[in-house]
Amino acid sequence: MRYLPGKPQQLPGNRQQLASYQASHFLFEVSDRVATLTLNRPERKNPLTFESYAELRDLFRQLAYADDIKAIVITGAGENFCSGGDVHDIIGPLTQLDMPGLLAFTRMTGDLVKAMRACPQPVIAAVDGVCAGAGAILSLAADLRYGTARSKTAFLFTRVGLAGCDMGACALLPRVIGQGRAAELLYTGRSMSGAEAERWGYFNSLHEPQDLLAAAQAMAQSLADGPTFAHGMTKKMLQQEWNMGVDEAIEAEAQAQAICMATNDFHRAYHAFVAKQRPAFEGD
């Protein structure tokens, strides 16, 4: 069965099937509950447009309800991840907008990050080559990041006369690499090399370019094969506890863990342990 772009199959309980989703402005493929989203304008280093921004936002919102996708890999075609907003398709038109129009755009781009952080599936960014501007934010919004030695990540907003506080960068980046390092990158807009990104904890690991996507997909598959309901709870707690005190966080985790203890996966794990077998998780 084929579905129109943006029209997932709706199921009872507000659940959706998105494996057959047909993207209009990037590539989207699903294999064994792992979705691979590929920015696909390699001739221009995979820049974003108004249309791709909006479709990405809407797709990640829908993924919050998809029960047939358990992990997501986002990458770029060719030898680059994403060069950010397209100079001709986005930057030029933005110079002609009034303030309400500009605010509508910046809120829309921020909504993409919110949607990525809110979907329960772990998101893994496979970053090779250029990863700049909004492209850098896409990688930052992921849960895990795999890179290559030749990758160049740049939050280059100040290079075009803008603040470094775009799409949540000033909240997210210090939590990943520390306040001082984040401040340097956001003030200067300079590129962070792959080796530096791994050393600073931005990349979880480095891989050869030809092995990068397979490594990211292998990690995504291992997560999809795990207790996916619990993974979603872990992601939610990682997000929510940024704004909690320690006591509130401990209570929130007590509630989250009690919910997970009521799942079938928890019981499967116990019985498998007793039987000295590997648990076969089903995500419920």
Side-chain angles (χ1 to χ4, degrees):
M1 184 178 296
R2 296 172 65 85
Y3 303 97
L4 296 174
K7 298 293 184 181
Q9 183 183 13
Q10 195 70 37
L11 301 173
N14 202 27
R15 297 176 297 119
Q16 295 180 351
Q17 297 282 313
L18 279 176
S20 297
Y21 176 85
Q22 298 177 40
S24 297
H25 300 97
F26 43 81
L27 302 180
F28 185 78
E29 299 177 337
V30 178
S31 175
D32 198 9
R33 297 162 295 127
V34 172
T36 300
L37 191 162
T38 306
L39 304 175
N40 190 36
R41 298 177 70 197
E43 72 283 357
R44 297 175 68 175
K45 301 178 181 178
N46 306 314
L48 297 169
T49 64
F50 291 120
E51 293 79 12
S52 60
Y53 262 126
E55 187 177 6
L56 285 167
R57 173 202 60 194
D58 294 343
L59 175 57
F60 274 101
R61 283 176 173 173
Q62 293 172 351
L63 282 164
Y65 306 101
D67 66 356
D68 59 340
I69 296 174
K70 301 302 182 182
I72 303 160
V73 174
I74 182 168
T75 191
E79 299 180 349
N80 296 288
F81 183 71
C82 176
S83 57
D86 190 287
V87 173
H88 302 291
D89 293 344
I90 288 185
I91 308 303
L94 287 179
T95 64
Q96 306 301 315
L97 291 182
D98 57 13
M99 181 57 69
L102 292 169
L103 186 56
F105 169 72
T106 54
R107 283 176 171 164
M108 184 265 286
T109 62
D111 283 344
L112 168 55
V113 173
K114 291 178 184 179
M116 291 179 67
R117 299 305 309 149
C119 76
Q121 299 92 340
V123 179
I124 303 173
V127 179
D128 190 20
V130 171
C131 177
I137 299 294
L138 283 181
S139 70
L140 176 61
D143 298 285
L144 301 173
R145 286 160 293 277
Y146 287 4
T148 67
R150 69 184 184 187
S151 65
K152 297 179 180 179
T153 304
F155 300 86
L156 45 66
F157 307 108
T158 58
R159 298 289 181 93
V160 295
L162 297 177
C165 57
D166 199 59
M167 299 171 67
C170 285
L172 293 167
L173 191 58
R175 289 176 167 89
V176 175
I177 65 173
Q179 184 80 10
R181 290 167 172 169
E184 180 197 347
L185 293 181
L186 296 177
Y187 278 127
T188 65
R190 73 169 179 83
S191 294
M192 176 174 51
S193 70
E196 185 178 34
E198 184 190 32
R199 188 169 68 249
W200 282 7
Y202 190 80
F203 287 148
N204 294 86
S205 58
L206 293 182
H207 302 269
E208 293 299 320
Q210 67 272 18
D211 301 327
L212 174 65
L213 181 58
Q217 290 174 329
M219 171 57 78
Q221 189 65 64
S222 71
L223 294 173
D225 291 339
T228 54
F229 179 89
H231 290 336
M233 191 67 77
T234 299
K235 181 169 180 175
K236 181 173 287 293
M237 289 297 101
L238 284 169
Q239 179 77 3
Q240 289 185 349
E241 290 182 35
W242 285 354
N243 298 316
M244 294 180 183
V246 174
D247 288 351
E248 292 81 4
I250 291 173
E251 173 59 22
E253 292 191 6
Q255 295 179 24
Q257 205 69 304
I259 292 171
C260 289
M261 288 175 179
T263 64
N264 292 322
D265 272 349
F266 179 66
H267 290 266
R268 290 186 186 101
Y270 166 72
H271 292 298
F273 178 81
V274 171
K276 297 182 179 180
Q277 298 174 348
R278 185 182 181 89
F281 295 116
E282 298 183 21
D284 61 348

